[in-house]
């Protein structure tokens, strides 16, 4: 089974992906995580991507499509959650082609709807462990020690792309680039809208009902 979680930054896609990985046999394709790994490693691709991400802009389609293709080849035959990909209609069409080459299909696309004001509050207060990826929030889920992860002891940081000025640009880019993608998937009959301002466990139940796992 292949499903897409699509939504603005901070809408809860990552949280729900981790839930499905823990409870079911899915692997997660998170382009954000893949890119951040490349940045941490200092690769040419990572440095190129960083210049876009630090400005709140999307990484070019050709870069993202290449990363996804390599990931799918390495995880052929597995059930995949696509978190943050595809963002554009071009990426969506490329994904369909890549899955077809593996004799696979896309089963559902979940659109995480949420008020932009809630998103800004979520993201400006978000803190992330650089080691295991655990997500915290200064108000709703602070770590016991401000700078140390409760799970693995790694460093908890405020990412550069979670600053308010960058967030506003990221949301504008999302509407511009991903709005047409949402309409594209709506036309295919695969799109399911999820109210993602609810508590994570309620969002999880909405998704479970649709795919009946």
């Amino acid at each position: 089974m292949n499903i897409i979680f699509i939504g603005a930054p901070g809408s809860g896609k990552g949280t729900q992906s981790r839930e499905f990985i823990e409870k079911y046999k899915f692997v997660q394709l998170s382009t954000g995580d893949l890119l951040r790994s490349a940045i941490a490693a200092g690769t040419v691709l990572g440095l190129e991507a960083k210049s876009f991400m630090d400005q709140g802009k999307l990484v070019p389609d050709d870069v993202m499509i290449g990363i996804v293709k390599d990931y799918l080849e390495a995880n052929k035959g597995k059930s995949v959650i696509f978190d943050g990909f595809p963002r554009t209609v071009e990426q969506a069409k490329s994904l369909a082609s890549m899955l077809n080459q593996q004799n696979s299909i896309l089963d559902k696309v979940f659109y995480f709807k949420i008020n932009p004001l809630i998103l800004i509050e979520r993201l400006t207060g978000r803190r992330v462990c650089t080691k295991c990826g655990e997500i915290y929030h200064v108000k709703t889920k602070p770590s016991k020690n401000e700078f140390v992860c409760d799970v693995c002891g790694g460093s908890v940081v405020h990412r550069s792309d979670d600053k308010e000025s960058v967030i506003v640009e990221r949301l504008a880019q999302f509407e511009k680039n991903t709005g047409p993608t949402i309409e594209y998937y709506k036309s295919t009959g695969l799109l399911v809208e999820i109210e993602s301002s609810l508590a994570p466990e309620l969002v999880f139940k909405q998704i479970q009902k649709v795919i009946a796992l």
Side-chain angles (χ1 to χ4, degrees):
M1 175 176 282
N2 299 299
I3 60 177
I4 292 174
F5 287 167
I6 190 169
S11 59
K13 304 184 303 297
T15 298
Q16 295 305 317
S17 292
R18 282 190 294 277
E19 285 292 318
F20 273 84
I21 290 167
E22 289 178 8
K23 294 183 182 294
Y24 308 109
K25 294 181 179 180
F26 278 89
V27 295
Q28 178 194 19
L29 186 153
S30 170
T31 51
D33 289 345
L34 291 175
L35 286 169
R36 280 187 285 273
S37 294
I39 291 170
T43 65
V44 173
L45 173 61
L47 294 175
E48 181 182 358
K50 188 176 187 300
S51 67
F52 289 94
M53 293 171 68
D54 283 349
Q55 298 176 67
K57 296 181 178 180
L58 294 178
V59 176
D61 279 345
D62 58 340
V63 175
M64 298 310 310
I65 290 168
I67 290 174
V68 171
K69 184 176 182 180
D70 289 343
Y71 184 91
L72 288 179
E73 289 176 352
N75 290 276
K76 189 174 182 178
K78 296 180 180 179
S79 293
V80 181
I81 294 175
F82 295 88
D83 172 11
F85 183 94
R87 285 191 172 99
T88 67
V89 173
E90 180 180 345
Q91 290 178 4
K93 292 179 178 179
S94 294
L95 175 59
S97 177
M98 287 185 280
L99 290 175
N100 183 60
Q101 290 173 12
Q102 294 189 351
N103 296 315
S104 187
I105 62 169
L106 182 62
D107 294 277
K108 288 292 179 184
V109 179
F110 293 94
Y111 171 37
F112 287 56
K113 292 184 65 177
I114 190 168
N115 187 307
L117 295 178
I118 296 176
L119 284 179
I120 291 173
E121 182 179 0
R122 278 187 181 181
L123 292 174
T124 53
R126 182 167 68 177
R127 301 295 184 268
V128 180
C129 174
T130 58
K131 187 175 181 181
C132 73
E134 183 70 14
I135 298 174
Y136 299 93
H137 192 279
V138 293
K139 291 183 179 180
T140 60
K141 186 189 172 184
S143 54
K144 294 176 182 178
N145 182 312
E146 184 179 359
F147 303 108
V148 179
C149 178
D150 296 341
V151 177
C152 71
S155 298
V156 174
V157 302
H158 187 199
R159 292 190 337 215
S160 60
D161 55 343
D162 280 344
K163 303 293 174 60
E164 185 167 358
S165 60
V166 176
I167 292 167
V168 171
E169 175 62 22
R170 290 172 72 192
L171 293 178
Q173 289 287 330
F174 174 81
E175 291 296 329
K176 177 182 177 181
N177 294 284
T178 310
T181 311
I182 293 168
E183 292 302 316
Y184 169 78
Y185 279 125
K186 187 179 293 185
S187 70
T188 67
L190 293 174
L191 191 78
V192 178
E193 293 188 354
I194 297 294
E195 178 49 64
S196 63
S197 62
L198 301 175
E201 61 271 18
L202 297 179
V203 175
F204 185 74
K205 287 180 180 179
Q206 291 180 73
I207 300 170
Q208 275 185 312
K209 288 180 181 178
V210 173
I211 57 179
L213 289 173

